[in-house]
Amino acid sequence: MSRTPDLSRRNLVKLLGGMPLFPLAAGASTAMLTACGGGGSSNDSSTSAKISSVSFTGMAAPTLANPENIATTTVDSSMVVTYSDNTTKTYDLGYKTFFITGEQVSDGKGGTVIAGGYYNIDNEPIYDTSVALATRQFFSDCPDGSTLLTVSNPTVTGVTGNTVFAVVQFEYTTRNQALTSMYGLLPSPIAVLTLDQNKTTGELSLVKYHNVDTSGVKGLWITCGASLSPWGTHLSSEEYEPDAFDQGALGQPLSTLRGFSTNLFGDSSTANPYHYGHLPEVTVNPDGTGTIKKHYCMGRISHELIQVMPDNRTALMGDDATNGGLFMFVADTAKDLSAGTLYVAKYTTELNDTSTGSISWIKLGSATSDEIKALVDGGIVCTDIMNSVTTDPSDSSYTKVVLNKTNVWVRAISGKEKAAAFLETHRYAAMKGGSLAFTKMEGTTVNIADKKAYSAISAIKDSMVTGKSSNVSSLNVNFATAINAGGVLEHTMAGGQVDSDGHAINSEWVPTSSKFILLGQDISSDSLGNTANPDKIANPDNLKFSEKLRTLFIGEDSGMHVNNFLWAYNVDTKTLTRILSCPTGAESTGLHMSDDINGFAYVLSNFQHPGDWESIHSIVKANTTVVATINENYENRFGAAVGYLTGLPVSTSLSAT
């Protein structure tokens, strides 16, 4: 087993920390395998046999028999390669980290910078002054969406192998030093990491950390999941958009926005709710810096994770909300998300644990990012766009909808339908009849070969359960009973579809139906405190698919598993395998799959907020070794790890034959 407690426990945490990367070489038709990534020994011999399949051997969930395993990232899994001559080879896995947030790392200019550090609109550090004589810069314990990429003609000095870049965003910080919640009160940082890739082994080493200047987009709001666009940019997210009407119908109240504004701008009134809840895009420059823009034309929703399809135009979007929907955007021009058409799904037949739901698409509107941003910059306010009230107005021109378990009656102001579609997207999409019925639709990814997309549904409850006050049965997402542990939804995609206006949808990648392919299982609390079966997924969050491995990777954000896990699900054999366990109280985040970076394949997955104790942790929290190990390795619960997986084979071919 590979785990974080150290030879000096702190250093081993750097070997086993968080962001798994699978260094597997991609390329020719024969297989020549050696252990790689800087963590394993080479014990392979050459073979002329071709790879026929790749699978994972799972690990048991950690127990208090080894409390350090509860408190750290652990991995006791392996990868099994099967050849065309029916021989197999097994490779044990391990981890190495780039940094723990809060550490000083190289800025590439001879100095250092705090990893995950926060900055205001003037790019000055934001300080935590909550404890006397202990002032320090705020830094995040919540690294999240991550991507790995290359650019042409890189110019960063200090790289001896290949130059590779990672983009890592930091969702929020859990608490200040006085242990007061800081959720949503700080502008989310986003960083470009310059990595030195060993040309022989694929090992990655951090050379430079650059904090991206987000002042031009007025800061970032609660950045969660991320994906890599087909054209090589980092597609970020802003979830839980602030409710401009402040009716409890959307992700965050205006009080959170005011606190955010105070820390970002220095006063509570500058931040405009309509500048947040959009889709940011980061372009990495050859010198290891990055530039950012926001797309205002992709819907103002609880953006969790976007997936752009192979046509470089169609984007499927997760919506991490209660009474959330499945949204789709089709860009006017390939590789350009600055203009296009926004749609919301309407289920025309019932979707539940046993039924496949058929989908039609409601067109919400077409716009450019510039024209919607101009409305916001011009001072448009919520009452210019829609009427929204929380008591029945007894007026037939209003439509009753349910958002965030809240009844609201809405109508669009005449002539402001476009503003409503792109700035009050949840209200408008519900009013137009979209199936805003999901409870926390999280990560989205695509299986290109099978023309399937996958969405994580973190919990099947509330709006998805018949008889619940937030459930609208006519929206056709109806479960008889809750499955609090959630599930994974598979969408079948096709071309030739038409929208609610009878117009052709200009895409070959339109979901036409959905069904659940994985479900968690709620249980009574077990001896460790789990309230979901630890041998099944619970509260899936991040999803990424590997075309070459035919594997769907699933990261959890679970308050039902004492330790959150990273899973590998083979879509052909239907085998679910646990491959990683996060520290107790931590969430598995930032999942990303790269099938080929200079001949190597990588999977990334961060974790955030270790030791974020909830009621299910009462048993493990009572163990002094668990608490001490978390405090020692993760900055007294203020830090989280970013790193990569070692020990997987180097292969000249990942493709099964």
Side-chain angles (χ1 to χ4, degrees), residues 79 98 118 131 288 334 369 379 416 427 527 535:
M79 179 174 158
F98 295 130
Y118 285 89
V131 174
S369 182
K416 300 295 184 181
R427 284 181 170 87
S527 60
D535 293 324

Side-chain angles (χ1 to χ4, degrees), residues 73-95:
T73 298
T74 61
V75 56
D76 192 21
S77 55
S78 56
M79 179 174 158
V80 180
V81 179
T82 301
Y83 298 94
S84 56
D85 61 2
N86 292 322
T87 60
T88 63
K89 208 155 218 13
T90 300
Y91 301 87
D92 295 332
L93 310 182
Y95 283 87

